[in-house]
């Protein structure tokens, strides 16, 4: 019955800092998700907490945060804390980009569901977003 | 609310929307967009509330600067409004059905403001459907406490003009260099505009484009009350004048009630019924529907008989419910 699915399009928020001009990765991921029939909202955040406001207004199923320079752990912690504060602690968060070895443990500790570095196969990225979306929507 | 995404029923969700809860408004919009049963019922319930809000349509070709202009306009209009809702409509991919919704990248300045509710909608490819969905979402935002809703569309097709047509005041945004006077007098999106804006007035061709548009308006004689305004979002030139012109238009527009426009009750009923039956069929796990779908798959039933049997089943289940 998979070909006769009536499930609504997954909604994904992809974001990076507004001072980070490196958008190659986020654009690549956005196009891959679009081609996999997902609806992708893009924003550049000024404050990490803004990401949560946008996620709530857009009613997305997954948040993907892209990093090039710094703040991998601090920013992610702030976003997750805001998710908890606004009663959507179960909204899954994925990070990608330049993730240094010493970032991994604290990112996992804060509950990040997946980490994608440069070179991660697009098929894996797409499958992960799709799976997290279905679980969050209660479709899986 | 934290671990479960099970939808409340339409009346419960509507109550939360009316208390202004951001997440409730967002999930109600999702339900309407996904055309679920809850969404269909919400659309009908919220339409009957007749919540009032002013509506502003912003359309124009891709790259004219609509999103940036709205971002700047929010700052101008916010002091005069309680809460502003913005709907940005972007196209769904005709190939995959997916979409990249990037309009609010230009509106980051307002991300932290609880009085600005921005939602990105994809057209999702169904003809005419986006108009109906957008109507319901505007009503919903009004019920959620927005007293101004701005709808941004890409002004390239008839359905986009129709979406803009849902609004009390319509702005068409042009970029300098759009063409000559001949382009300006052709039929199309310029006809539906209340205000014509030449954005990017910091660019060299802006005066020429503005003059072409003014000439077009001039040809229409004394009954033409519309104006062409030059604006630069970059330099913040002309924004205050535009905001003033918008408010002046609102003052003379009589349709600030969502249903002030004449509607054909019979035609609307036809759409209402179709929405509810279609949502039922899409979501139903009723064995009767599974059986009919199975018969369709193996070709043992004609489509016309299948459709009529489905309507009878829907009616039967409704009767049992009440």
């Amino acid at each position: 019955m998979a070909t006769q699915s009536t499930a609504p399009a997954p909604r994904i928020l992809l974001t990076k800092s507004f001072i980070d001009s490196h958008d190659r990765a986020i654009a690549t991921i956005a196009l891959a998700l679009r081609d996999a029939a997902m609806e992708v909202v893009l924003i550049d955040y000024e404050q990490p907490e803004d990401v949560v406001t946008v996620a709530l207004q857009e009613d997305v199923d997954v948040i993907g945060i892209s990093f090039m320079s710094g703040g991998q752990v601090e920013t992610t912690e702030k976003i997750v804390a805001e998710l908890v504060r606004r009663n959507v602690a179960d909204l899954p968060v994925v990070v990608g980009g330049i993730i240094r070895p010493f970032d991994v443990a604290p990112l996992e500790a804060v509950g990040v569901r997946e980490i994608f570095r440069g070179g991660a196969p697009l098929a894996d990225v797409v499958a992960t977003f799709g799976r997290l979306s279905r679980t969050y929507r209660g479709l899986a | 609310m934290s671990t479960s995404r099970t939808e409340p029923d339409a009346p419960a969700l509507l109550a939360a929307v009316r208390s202004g809860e951001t997440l409730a408004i967002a999930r109600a919009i999702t339900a309407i967009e996904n055309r679920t049963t809850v969404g269909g019922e919400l659309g009908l319930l919220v339409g009957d509330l007749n919540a009032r809000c002013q509506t502003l349509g912003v359309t124009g070709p891709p790259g004219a600067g609509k999103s940036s202009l709205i971002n700047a306009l929010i700052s101008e209009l916010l002091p005069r409004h309680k809460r502003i809702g913005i709907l940005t409509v972007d196209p769904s991919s005709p190939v995959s059905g997916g979409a990249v919704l990037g309009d609010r990248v230009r509106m980051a300045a307002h991300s932290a403001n609880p009085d600005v509710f921005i939602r990105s909608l994809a057209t999702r490819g169904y003809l005419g459907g986006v108009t109906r969905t957008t109507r319901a979402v505007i009503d919903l935002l009004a019920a959620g406490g927005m007293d101004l809703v701005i709808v941004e569309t890409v002004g390239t097709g008839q359905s986009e003009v129709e979406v803009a047509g849902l609004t009390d005041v319509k702005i068409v945004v042009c970029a300098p260099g759009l063409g000559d006077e001949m382009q300006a007098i052709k039929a199309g999106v310029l006809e539906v505009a209340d205000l014509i804006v030449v954005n990017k007035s910091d660019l060299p061709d802006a005066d020429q484009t503005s003059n072409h548009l003014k000439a077009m308006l001039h040809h229409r004689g004394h009954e033409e009350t519309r104006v062409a305004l030059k604006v630069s979002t970059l330099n913040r030139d002309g924004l205050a004048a535009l905001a003033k012109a918008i408010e002046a238009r609102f003052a003379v527009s009589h349709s600030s009630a969502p249903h002030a426009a004449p509607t054909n009750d019979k035609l609307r009923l036809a759409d209402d019924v179709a929405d509810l039956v279609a949502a039922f069929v899409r979501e139903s796990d009723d064995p009767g529907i599974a059986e009919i779908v199975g018969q369709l798959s193996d070709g043992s039933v004609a489509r016309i008989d299948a459709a009529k049997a489905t309507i009878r089943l829907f009616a039967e289940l409704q009767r049992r419910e009440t």
Side-chain angles (χ1 to χ4, degrees):
Chain A
M1 224 34 179
T3 53
Q4 295 196 5
S5 167
T6 54
R11 286 178 68 86
I12 311 293
L13 176 63
L14 295 183
T15 187
K16 65 173 182 62
S17 167
F18 80 112
I19 47 169
D20 190 345
S21 61
H22 301 88
D23 60 359
R24 174 80 178 268
I26 207 167
T28 304
I29 305 290
L31 284 176
L33 297 180
R34 186 201 74 184
D35 290 346
M38 302 187 198
E39 291 180 356
V40 185
V41 179
L42 292 175
I43 60 151
D44 295 347
Y45 60 84
E46 291 178 6
Q47 299 295 327
E49 292 79 5
D50 299 350
V51 173
V52 177
T53 303
V54 174
L56 291 180
Q57 291 181 353
E58 298 286 352
D59 194 18
V60 296
D61 321 322
V62 188
I63 299 175
I65 319 165
S66 171
F67 293 100
M68 166 68 193
S69 34
Q72 286 86 338
V73 172
E74 297 84 342
T75 301
T76 307
E77 282 175 347
K78 282 183 179 170
I79 289 173
V80 170
E82 184 69 3
L83 287 171
V84 171
R85 193 181 75 79
R86 301 185 70 171
N87 294 322
V88 280
D90 55 330
L91 186 55
V93 174
V94 170
V95 300
I98 305 295
I99 308 296
R100 300 152 299 187
F102 52 81
D103 292 327
V104 172
L107 285 174
E108 285 175 349
V110 82
V112 161
R113 305 293 178 96
E114 201 76 60
I115 295 171
F116 292 112
R117 292 197 175 83
L122 272 182
D124 290 357
V125 177
V126 168
T128 300
F129 275 98
R131 175 173 52 77
L132 290 172
S133 164
R134 282 192 301 278
T135 308
Y136 185 67
R137 295 263 160 191
L139 299 170
Chain B
M1 184 115 215
S2 108
T3 51
S4 160
R5 279 248 23 177
T6 47
E7 297 290 339
D9 64 4
L13 194 50
L14 186 58
V17 166
R18 294 183 79 180
S19 71
E21 264 179 60
T22 296
L23 190 56
I25 295 171
R27 291 200 169 157
I29 294 174
T30 305
I32 290 171
E33 261 207 299
N34 288 344
R35 302 194 296 162
T36 61
T37 297
V38 168
E41 290 177 1
L42 261 178
L44 304 186
L45 290 170
V46 84
D48 276 346
L49 285 179
N50 257 317
R52 283 165 168 272
C53 70
Q54 292 177 318
T55 49
L56 176 68
V58 179
T59 189
K66 297 179 293 296
S67 304
S68 302
L69 182 69
I70 290 173
N71 181 52
L73 266 179
I74 295 169
S75 307
E76 295 288 332
L77 296 172
L78 206 46
R80 277 174 292 238
H81 293 274
K82 210 165 57 202
R83 211 173 172 202
I84 300 182
I86 293 100
L87 299 174
T88 71
V89 184
D90 267 328
S92 294
S93 159
V95 180
S96 73
V100 172
L101 310 168
D103 287 331
R104 70 180 299 159
V105 168
R106 323 278 173 204
M107 304 179 194
H110 302 286
S111 288
N113 190 337
D115 294 330
V116 179
F117 184 102
I118 305 173
R119 179 63 177 252
S120 317
L121 305 175
T123 53
R124 299 206 176 169
Y126 40 87
L127 267 176
V130 71
T131 313
R132 205 168 145 72
T133 305
T134 309
R135 167 81 275 164
V137 174
I138 291 171
D139 288 345
L140 189 96
L141 290 176
M146 320 285 159
D147 57 354
L148 171 65
V149 173
I150 303 176
V151 183
E152 173 186 346
T153 72
V154 181
T156 46
Q158 184 56 38
S159 71
E160 307 280 1
V161 175
E162 281 169 18
V163 171
L166 295 170
T167 52
D168 304 332
V169 175
K170 289 162 271 293
I171 302 180
V172 171
V173 184
C174 308
L178 99 159
D180 61 7
E181 220 177 307
M182 190 46 68
Q183 301 295 338
I185 63 173
K186 285 182 184 173
V189 74
L190 286 172
E191 286 178 284
V192 303
D194 296 301
L195 295 164
I196 299 172
V197 172
V198 179
N199 195 12
K200 311 186 192 183
S201 68
D202 45 286
L203 293 181
D205 285 344
D207 282 327
Q208 201 185 24
T209 300
S210 156
N211 289 340
H212 288 322
L213 293 166
K214 282 179 177 160
M216 180 272 286
L217 295 174
H218 182 71
H219 292 324
R220 302 182 68 97
H222 294 303
E223 280 170 24
E224 179 61 70
T225 58
R226 301 178 299 166
V227 289
L229 297 169
K230 277 190 300 176
V231 165
S232 167
T233 314
L234 188 69
N235 301 334
R236 303 195 63 82
D237 280 344
L239 287 169
L242 176 59
K244 218 173 143 191
I246 290 167
E247 298 288 0
R249 280 277 164 179
F250 276 136
V252 296
S253 126
H254 299 293
S255 55
S256 45
H259 296 298
T263 47
N264 182 324
D265 286 328
K266 202 170 178 183
L267 289 180
R268 198 178 63 184
L269 176 65
D271 287 341
D272 293 349
V273 171
D275 279 358
L276 289 187
V277 177
F280 159 74
V281 174
R282 277 193 298 270
E283 291 169 19
S284 180
D285 46 15
D286 187 272
I289 292 293
E291 192 188 333
I292 294 169
V293 172
Q295 288 168 343
L296 279 171
S297 301
D298 61 31
S300 63
V301 65
R303 280 170 65 189
I304 185 165
D305 296 328
K308 287 179 176 174
T310 301
I311 293 169
R312 281 194 295 274
L313 185 63
F314 177 77
E316 176 56 34
L317 292 172
Q318 287 293 312
R319 202 174 299 127
R320 261 185 256 162
E321 231 176 68
T322 50

